[in-house]
Amino acid sequence: MIKFVGGHKRSHAWGFVAVAISASLLISSGCNKQDPYAPPDLFYYFASYQVGKNPTTVTPTDVNQDGFTDLITTNIGSNTLSILLGNGDGTFRDQVQLNVCKEPRSLALGMFNRDMYPDVALACSGGDEVSVLFGRSDGKFEEGPRYPVHRTPIAIASEDLNGDQASDLVVALRNDKIKVFLGTGTGEFTHGAQYEYGDTPTSVAMADLSGDGKIDLAVTNGGPMSNAVSIWKGNGDGTFRPPADYRTGKRPLGVSFADFNRDRILDLLVINGQQDSFTTFLGVGNGTFLPGKDSGADAGPNFGYARDFNGDSRIDVAIVNLQSSDLSILFGRGDGTFEYPPRNYRTKPGPFALATFRVTTKEEEEPGLVTADNGNGSVSVFLHRGLKAVSTPVAPSP
């Protein structure tokens, strides 16, 4: 038994001895504070290229079918598309600008007329229309049909909704409507169903989420009355069933798909424009999802893309942050959560959109990233350190 005498002085002395013994035990046992997480540095800035005014999207594709990746941007401030043909070494030729519709806000690729060159459908937010452009062998596009919508198309996506081997379109309209166009396979479209639902849709994406072979639809609703992602299950004929809503962070701006927990079921990635966060929803397998998990991003996340960047078979997330003008890579833990802090890369002002691309069509290449720099009228290329470019950058570093 320990006997305490002499009041507080003896108590303080004993406390000091106890602390000293505890510290000694910690040191001798090898226990120490865990080192902070240090994210790997996988990318490096390579070059930037001028495009039109205020680009809102950047889309990689092989426009002229030469085996090299090209880039297309929608430039909402100059009513143009920019086409940058790839050289196959990480560099691109100077842009070719095409005058298109008023305020092209979003772009969907497809093989609308079934030739060998990719075609484009544009959501023209200033002209209240959808504009179709047909690809050509010289890497340019020729004007196709235009379809009026009401009103302010903000996002567009393409898939075969009715199983006729022709690409269809779904367009999100700012006045709380979703419009379907059914493709004929000849480059023309017929008006399909229209739905009024939600609050200020901001993005659309399509995939088979329920495993029934029918394309389903995800829509983010960025208005203050909703703050949700809506899942519309497809009927396989170009129509959708009434949606189910999943609560997101504030002002969701974009939705895409990935398998975050490696169960071979598609999950959701939602980018939230306010409170600097993004939300992941793990899929159950029947087109429904578990409640979302929020993770932190940098200031003003605007667009995200998910894939495995570091080769550990866990899906990571790349996000462009509009306010902090940087690109964040968050590395996945394999359960829909992510290591923190992210690896940040400085970008040109106002990165608005993001895409991953391979310099050529070879599958063994590590994919790079390209940003659409809305505040700078440019695109910026970040190459993976596993893929060394073979020529010097054609534009100065930031």
Side-chain angles (χ1 to χ4, degrees), residues 51-52 55-64 69-75 80-86 92 95-98 100 104-110 117-122 133-136 139-141 353-355 357 370-372 378-379:
V51 295
T56 52
T57 64
V58 56
T59 304
T61 186
D62 187 357
V63 173
N64 55 358
T69 299
D70 312 309
L71 301 175
I72 305 173
T73 66
T74 52
N75 309 312
T80 61
L81 288 189
S82 289
I83 303 166
L84 296 90
L85 296 181
F92 294 86
Q95 64 167 325
V96 174
Q97 277 200 60
L98 299 179
V100 290
R105 174 64 178 78
S106 180
L107 177 152
L109 282 178
Y117 302 106
D119 308 312
V120 162
L122 298 172
L133 306 174
F134 299 125
R136 304 189 322 200
K140 297 181 182 179
F141 293 86
L354 170 74
F357 75 103
V370 58
T371 63
S378 65
V379 293

Side-chain angles (χ1 to χ4, degrees), residues 255-295:
V255 58
S256 56
F257 311 114
D259 180 6
F260 289 111
N261 58 347
R262 298 180 289 182
D263 61 357
R264 299 185 179 181
I265 296 171
L266 285 180
D267 309 313
L268 302 180
L269 168 66
V270 176
I271 306 301
N272 304 312
Q274 294 183 5
Q275 296 184 341
D276 303 338
S277 71
F278 64 96
T279 309
T280 52
F281 297 84
L282 298 181
V284 175
N286 58 358
T288 64
F289 296 85
L290 300 177
K293 300 177 183 178
D294 289 345
S295 300

Side-chain angles (χ1 to χ4, degrees), residues 127-327:
D128 292 337
E129 64 182 357
V130 170
S131 176
V132 178
L133 306 174
F134 299 125
R136 304 189 322 200
S137 61
D138 59 0
K140 297 181 182 179
F141 293 86
E142 63 183 41
E143 187 171 351
R146 298 190 179 197
Y147 301 93
V149 292
H150 188 270
R151 65 183 168 77
T152 316
I154 194 71
I156 190 168
S158 176
E159 283 285 355
D160 180 6
L161 298 177
N162 55 0
D164 64 355
Q165 310 305 310
S167 296
D168 308 308
L169 301 173
V170 172
V171 187
L173 308 178
R174 185 52 65 88
N175 62 341
D176 306 340
K177 293 183 176 64
I178 301 296
K179 172 68 177 176
V180 177
F181 289 92
L182 298 177
T184 62
T186 64
E188 296 183 342
F189 294 83
T190 61
H191 286 271
Q194 180 166 291
Y195 303 92
E196 184 166 359
Y197 184 82
D199 182 15
T200 316
T202 53
S203 73
V204 292
M206 292 189 282
D208 180 5
L209 301 176
S210 54
D212 61 359
K214 301 172 183 177
I215 296 297
D216 307 307
L217 173 67
V219 181
T220 49
N221 295 286
M225 301 301 292
S226 181
N227 290 320
V229 59
S230 302
I231 303 300
W232 303 66
K233 292 185 180 180
N235 293 315
D237 59 359
T239 65
F240 297 92
R241 293 170 239 170
D245 286 351
Y246 295 86
R247 190 75 175 175
T248 66
K250 286 193 173 181
R251 196 168 169 257
L253 296 177
V255 58
S256 56
F257 311 114
D259 180 6
F260 289 111
N261 58 347
R262 298 180 289 182
D263 61 357
R264 299 185 179 181
I265 296 171
L266 285 180
D267 309 313
L268 302 180
L269 168 66
V270 176
I271 306 301
N272 304 312
Q274 294 183 5
Q275 296 184 341
D276 303 338
S277 71
F278 64 96
T279 309
T280 52
F281 297 84
L282 298 181
V284 175
N286 58 358
T288 64
F289 296 85
L290 300 177
K293 300 177 183 178
D294 289 345
S295 300
D298 215 335
N302 198 70
F303 193 97
Y305 191 93
R307 70 167 301 138
D308 177 14
F309 292 116
N310 61 347
D312 65 355
S313 299
R314 299 173 182 176
I315 297 297
D316 313 308
V317 170
I319 296 175
V320 285
N321 304 290
L322 193 59
Q323 295 176 17
S324 52
S325 287
D326 59 5
L327 164 64

Side-chain angles (χ1 to χ4, degrees), residues 2 4 8-21:
I2 300 174
F4 293 93
H8 292 293
K9 288 184 180 180
R10 180 61 59 88
S11 175
H12 288 172
W14 175 251
F16 175 78
V17 171
V19 170
I21 292 172

